[in-house]
């Protein structure tokens, strides 16, 4: 039962916890939602609710006086805000991701999500920003359960094909220009804001760095070892590399099971023929040696018998005389 509840936690099948709050840190029902909103007590991500005020808050593309707004002026206004908030938040630690929602629904409009590298940095920023004002409005800052923005962003919006427009329940992340991204992220790796890795991925990266560090130390200990042994190992490795190419070429074509069985039968047949031929050859040589030995012994015995007979005949002749 516990495994089943853990597998459906934060999904549509979960009838207890709100999946939208778990994925995007906001819910259109707010406190009236029939499901639980599990607010984290600590998190590397902060949400600054309704912080960014669009110039066309009332009607998209139209200002408060009813005049059309140049899209370039709107982008310039947004980038000024982004740079201002980025520089202020970076005082508390390294920023992994900074996302500003372009949605129009009340629970997501102007939301700013900032993810720090460490949870302590996010906690320090939360304490410092509580009660502060920005552009004449008090800031609302909370921890957010969002750690992987790939699950929170609208993929259709990224492909310019979202049918729900600004009232979509997933994040429509507003983008900045390449020049500003390069300027803000110089001296470090530039991250895609809607592709921020979660804490598990950061943990995998740290484990990979530790493995690389151990491997480097092992090489350093090997360099301090015996030079002659290392030379011998190098010769063996070079010989192995020279022989390895042929093996790779031979093994590049995989044989079928029928071909392997036929080859095994052929090997067995050759081995039987070789063993049978050797025994037959050995038997013929043994018989030949036996016949030669028997013939030699018979010849030797016949010579001795003739010689004895001649000696006996000679003695009889002498006695007759």
């Amino acid at each position: 039962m516990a495994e089943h509840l853990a597998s459906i936690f934060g999904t549509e099948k979960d009838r207890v916890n709100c999946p939208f709050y778990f994925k995007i840190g906001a819910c259109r029902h707010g406190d009236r939602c029939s499901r639980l909103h599990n607010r984290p007590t600590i998190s590397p991500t902060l949400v600054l609710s309704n912080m960014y005020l669009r110039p066309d808050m009332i009607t998209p593309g139209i200002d408060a006086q009813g005049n059309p707004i140049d899209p370039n002026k709107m982008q310039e206004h947004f980038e000024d805000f982004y740079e201002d908030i980025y520089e202020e938040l970076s005082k508390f630690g390294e920023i992994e991701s900074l996302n500003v929602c372009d949605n129009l629904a009340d629970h997501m409009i102007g939301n700013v999500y900032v993810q720090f590298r460490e949870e302590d940095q996010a906690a320090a920023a939360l304490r410092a920003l509580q009660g502060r004002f920005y552009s004449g409005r008090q800031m609302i800052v909370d921890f957010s359960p969002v750690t992987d923005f790939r699950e929170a962003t609208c993929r259709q919006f990224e492909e310019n094909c979202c049918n729900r427009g600004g009232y979509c329940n997933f994040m429509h992340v507003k983008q900045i220009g390449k020049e500003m991204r390069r300027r803000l992220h110089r001296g470090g790796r530039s991250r895609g804001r809607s592709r921020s890795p979660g804490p598990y991925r950061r943990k995998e990266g740290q484990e990979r760095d530790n493995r690389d560090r151990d491997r480097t130390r092992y090489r350093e200990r090997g360099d301090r070892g015996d030079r002659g042994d290392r030379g011998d190992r190098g010769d063996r490795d070079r010989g192995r590399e020279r022989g390895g190419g042929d093996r790779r070429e031979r093994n590049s074509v995989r044989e079928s099971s029928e071909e392997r069985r036929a080859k095994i039968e052929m090997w067995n047949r050759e081995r039987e023929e070789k063993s049978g031929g050797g025994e037959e050859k050995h038997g013929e040589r043994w018989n030949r040696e036996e016949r030669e030995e028997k013939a030699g012994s018979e010849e030797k015995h016949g010579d001795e018998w003739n010689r004895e007979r001649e000696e006996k005949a000679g003695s009889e002749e002498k006695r007759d005389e």
Side-chain angles (χ1 to χ4, degrees):
M1 186 63 181
E3 294 179 358
H4 174 70
L5 294 177
S7 64
I8 66 173
F9 180 79
T11 64
E12 295 294 336
K13 296 180 181 180
D14 191 352
R15 298 300 178 185
V16 178
N17 303 287
C18 180
F20 278 100
Y21 184 81
F22 178 74
K23 289 181 180 179
I24 63 178
C27 175
R28 61 190 178 94
H29 299 292
D31 295 334
R32 301 189 309 272
C33 184
S34 60
R35 304 183 188 184
L36 295 179
H37 291 176
N38 295 305
R39 302 181 186 276
T41 57
I42 189 67
S43 173
T45 307
L46 297 179
V47 55
L48 289 72
S49 302
N50 309 124
M51 185 175 182
Y52 175 61
L53 298 176
R54 297 164 48 113
D56 54 348
M57 290 287 293
I58 301 175
T59 305
I62 306 297
D63 61 8
Q65 289 75 27
N67 300 320
I69 305 176
D70 185 7
N72 294 329
K73 294 289 186 65
M74 292 182 59
Q75 183 67 19
E76 184 180 353
H77 177 272
F78 168 69
E79 291 187 354
D80 290 341
F81 166 81
Y82 188 93
E83 185 176 10
D84 189 19
I85 194 69
Y86 186 92
E87 291 177 353
E88 182 66 23
L89 293 173
S90 61
K91 296 177 182 178
F92 304 101
E94 183 179 351
I95 295 177
E96 291 279 320
S97 177
L98 180 61
N99 296 330
V100 180
C101 291
D102 199 25
N103 302 67
L104 297 176
D106 294 338
H107 66 292
M108 296 189 67
I109 186 169
N111 284 3
V112 177
Y113 293 83
V114 55
Q115 183 179 19
F116 291 92
R117 187 173 183 84
E118 302 294 340
E119 294 178 346
D120 296 340
Q121 299 169 351
L126 177 66
R127 290 191 298 267
L129 297 176
Q130 284 286 9
R132 289 183 58 179
F133 286 79
Y134 183 84
S135 188
R137 298 167 57 245
Q138 187 173 3
M139 300 172 62
I140 304 173
V141 188
D142 290 303
F143 286 118
S144 175
V146 181
T147 55
D148 190 352
F149 287 96
R150 294 175 301 174
E151 296 294 331
T153 54
C154 178
R155 294 180 178 84
Q156 293 180 349
F157 174 76
E158 295 177 351
E159 299 172 358
N160 297 321
C161 61
C162 181
N163 298 325
R164 298 179 63 87
Y167 293 94
C168 180
N169 287 323
F170 289 92
M171 291 184 189
H172 288 189
V173 178
K174 197 168 180 62
Q175 303 291 334
I176 59 175
K178 293 182 179 179
E179 185 177 353
M180 173 165 286
R181 186 187 302 277
R182 194 180 305 112
R183 185 170 68 252
L184 294 178
H185 293 276
R186 66 176 179 269
R189 292 181 296 177
S190 177
R191 297 181 180 270
R193 291 181 288 111
S194 62
R195 291 290 183 269
S196 176
Y200 297 106
R201 189 161 298 178
R202 289 201 305 272
K203 183 177 180 181
E204 292 176 0
Q206 293 173 0
E207 292 177 354
R208 185 167 56 251
D209 295 340
N210 294 335
R211 288 196 300 271
D212 295 340
R213 194 182 306 113
D214 295 339
R215 195 177 295 114
T216 303
R217 292 175 181 172
Y218 179 78
R219 291 199 194 98
E220 291 176 355
R221 288 198 299 269
D223 291 340
R224 292 194 294 268
D226 188 8
R227 299 287 180 177
D229 294 342
R230 188 175 61 183
D232 295 339
R233 286 197 301 270
D235 295 338
R236 289 197 297 270
D237 293 340
R238 284 193 293 273
R240 193 180 299 113
E241 290 176 358
R242 286 195 296 268
D246 298 337
R247 282 197 298 271
R248 283 193 294 270
E249 292 178 0
R250 289 197 300 267
N251 295 334
S252 59
V253 179
R254 185 178 179 85
E255 298 177 347
S256 63
S257 58
E258 296 180 357
E259 293 176 348
R260 288 197 299 273
R261 283 197 294 270
K263 186 174 290 187
I264 292 171
E265 291 178 359
M266 183 180 67
W267 289 341
N268 294 333
R269 190 165 54 253
E270 290 178 355
R271 186 172 60 184
E272 291 176 358
E273 292 176 356
K274 185 181 295 185
S275 61
E279 292 176 357
E280 183 178 358
K281 191 173 182 180
H282 178 71
E284 292 178 356
R285 186 172 61 252
W286 186 82
N287 292 333
R288 185 171 61 252
E289 290 176 356
E290 187 179 5
R291 286 196 302 271
E292 290 176 356
E293 184 178 355
K294 187 176 181 180
S297 61
E298 290 178 352
E299 183 178 358
K300 186 176 180 181
H301 181 70
D303 293 341
E304 291 178 356
W305 185 78
N306 291 331
R307 189 169 53 256
E308 289 177 357
R309 190 175 57 180
E310 290 176 356
E311 290 177 357
K312 187 177 181 180
S315 61
E316 291 178 354
E317 288 179 358
K318 286 181 180 182
R319 195 171 47 250
D320 295 337
E321 291 177 356

